[in-house]
PDB file of all heavy atoms in Angstrom:
ATOM      1  N   CYS A  55       5.362 -15.650  12.580  1.00 84.00           N
ATOM      2  CA  CYS A  55       5.880 -14.905  13.713  1.00 84.00           C
ATOM      3  C   CYS A  55       5.601 -15.640  15.014  1.00 84.00           C
ATOM      4  O   CYS A  55       4.444 -15.849  15.376  1.00 84.00           O
ATOM      5  CB  CYS A  55       5.246 -13.525  13.754  1.00 84.00           C
ATOM      6  SG  CYS A  55       5.901 -12.490  15.056  1.00 84.00           S
ATOM      7  N   PRO A  56       6.640 -16.045  15.741  1.00 80.00           N
ATOM      8  CA  PRO A  56       6.453 -16.816  16.966  1.00 80.00           C
ATOM      9  C   PRO A  56       5.982 -15.963  18.157  1.00 80.00           C
ATOM     10  O   PRO A  56       5.372 -16.493  19.074  1.00 80.00           O
ATOM     11  CB  PRO A  56       7.815 -17.407  17.237  1.00 80.00           C
ATOM     12  CG  PRO A  56       8.779 -16.465  16.592  1.00 80.00           C
ATOM     13  CD  PRO A  56       8.053 -15.891  15.419  1.00 80.00           C
ATOM     14  N   ASP A  57       6.240 -14.663  18.139  1.00 83.00           N
ATOM     15  CA  ASP A  57       5.884 -13.773  19.244  1.00 83.00           C
ATOM     16  C   ASP A  57       4.456 -13.254  19.070  1.00 83.00           C
ATOM     17  O   ASP A  57       4.191 -12.529  18.113  1.00 83.00           O
ATOM     18  CB  ASP A  57       6.882 -12.611  19.301  1.00 83.00           C
ATOM     19  CG  ASP A  57       6.503 -11.568  20.331  1.00 83.00           C
ATOM     20  OD1 ASP A  57       6.052 -11.939  21.416  1.00 83.00           O
ATOM     21  OD2 ASP A  57       6.643 -10.361  20.013  1.00 83.00           O
ATOM     22  N   PRO A  58       3.541 -13.570  19.993  1.00 88.00           N
ATOM     23  CA  PRO A  58       2.131 -13.162  19.840  1.00 88.00           C
ATOM     24  C   PRO A  58       1.946 -11.644  19.792  1.00 88.00           C
ATOM     25  O   PRO A  58       1.116 -11.149  19.050  1.00 88.00           O
ATOM     26  CB  PRO A  58       1.440 -13.741  21.067  1.00 88.00           C
ATOM     27  CG  PRO A  58       2.330 -14.802  21.597  1.00 88.00           C
ATOM     28  CD  PRO A  58       3.727 -14.430  21.171  1.00 88.00           C
ATOM     29  N   GLN A  59       2.733 -10.900  20.545  1.00 88.00           N
ATOM     30  CA  GLN A  59       2.594  -9.445  20.538  1.00 88.00           C
ATOM     31  C   GLN A  59       2.984  -8.857  19.182  1.00 88.00           C
ATOM     32  O   GLN A  59       2.287  -8.033  18.615  1.00 88.00           O
ATOM     33  CB  GLN A  59       3.445  -8.808  21.635  1.00 88.00           C
ATOM     34  CG  GLN A  59       3.231  -7.310  21.750  1.00 88.00           C
ATOM     35  CD  GLN A  59       3.976  -6.710  22.939  1.00 88.00           C
ATOM     36  OE1 GLN A  59       4.518  -7.410  23.776  1.00 88.00           O
ATOM     37  NE2 GLN A  59       3.985  -5.374  22.995  1.00 88.00           N
ATOM     38  N   THR A  60       4.117  -9.290  18.653  1.00 86.00           N
ATOM     39  CA  THR A  60       4.559  -8.809  17.340  1.00 86.00           C
ATOM     40  C   THR A  60       3.598  -9.286  16.256  1.00 86.00           C
ATOM     41  O   THR A  60       3.288  -8.520  15.321  1.00 86.00           O
ATOM     42  CB  THR A  60       5.996  -9.281  17.027  1.00 86.00           C
ATOM     43  OG1 THR A  60       6.849  -8.859  18.102  1.00 86.00           O
ATOM     44  CG2 THR A  60       6.497  -8.715  15.724  1.00 86.00           C
ATOM     45  N   ALA A  61       3.103 -10.513  16.382  1.00 86.00           N
ATOM     46  CA  ALA A  61       2.119 -11.030  15.405  1.00 86.00           C
ATOM     47  C   ALA A  61       0.866 -10.150  15.412  1.00 86.00           C
ATOM     48  O   ALA A  61       0.321  -9.836  14.351  1.00 86.00           O
ATOM     49  CB  ALA A  61       1.761 -12.457  15.721  1.00 86.00           C
ATOM     50  N   GLY A  62       0.446  -9.704  16.588  1.00 88.00           N
ATOM     51  CA  GLY A  62      -0.709  -8.802  16.679  1.00 88.00           C
ATOM     52  C   GLY A  62      -0.440  -7.469  16.026  1.00 88.00           C
ATOM     53  O   GLY A  62      -1.282  -6.903  15.320  1.00 88.00           O
ATOM     54  N   THR A  63       0.750  -6.932  16.226  1.00 87.00           N
ATOM     55  CA  THR A  63       1.157  -5.677  15.603  1.00 87.00           C
ATOM     56  C   THR A  63       1.148  -5.821  14.096  1.00 87.00           C
ATOM     57  O   THR A  63       0.690  -4.925  13.364  1.00 87.00           O
ATOM     58  CB  THR A  63       2.550  -5.242  16.089  1.00 87.00           C
ATOM     59  OG1 THR A  63       2.510  -5.081  17.507  1.00 87.00           O
ATOM     60  CG2 THR A  63       3.001  -3.941  15.441  1.00 87.00           C
ATOM     61  N   LEU A  64       1.638  -6.949  13.599  1.00 86.00           N
ATOM     62  CA  LEU A  64       1.667  -7.188  12.155  1.00 86.00           C
ATOM     63  C   LEU A  64       0.257  -7.324  11.572  1.00 86.00           C
ATOM     64  O   LEU A  64      -0.027  -6.811  10.489  1.00 86.00           O
ATOM     65  CB  LEU A  64       2.492  -8.435  11.853  1.00 86.00           C
ATOM     66  CG  LEU A  64       3.988  -8.299  12.092  1.00 86.00           C
ATOM     67  CD1 LEU A  64       4.683  -9.639  12.000  1.00 86.00           C
ATOM     68  CD2 LEU A  64       4.604  -7.313  11.108  1.00 86.00           C
ATOM     69  N   ARG A  65      -0.635  -7.999  12.313  1.00 86.00           N
ATOM     70  CA  ARG A  65      -2.030  -8.107  11.843  1.00 86.00           C
ATOM     71  C   ARG A  65      -2.671  -6.730  11.768  1.00 86.00           C
ATOM     72  O   ARG A  65      -3.379  -6.417  10.819  1.00 86.00           O
ATOM     73  CB  ARG A  65      -2.836  -9.000  12.800  1.00 86.00           C
ATOM     74  CG  ARG A  65      -2.686 -10.488  12.499  1.00 86.00           C
ATOM     75  CD  ARG A  65      -3.716 -11.316  13.246  1.00 86.00           C
ATOM     76  NE  ARG A  65      -3.695 -11.124  14.702  1.00 86.00           N
ATOM     77  CZ  ARG A  65      -2.825 -11.732  15.540  1.00 86.00           C
ATOM     78  NH1 ARG A  65      -1.941 -12.582  15.047  1.00 86.00           N
ATOM     79  NH2 ARG A  65      -2.878 -11.521  16.821  1.00 86.00           N
TER      80      ARG A  65
END
Side-chain angles (χ1 to χ4, degrees):
C55 184
D57 173 40
Q59 185 174 352
T60 305
T63 301
L64 290 170
R65 277 192 303 278

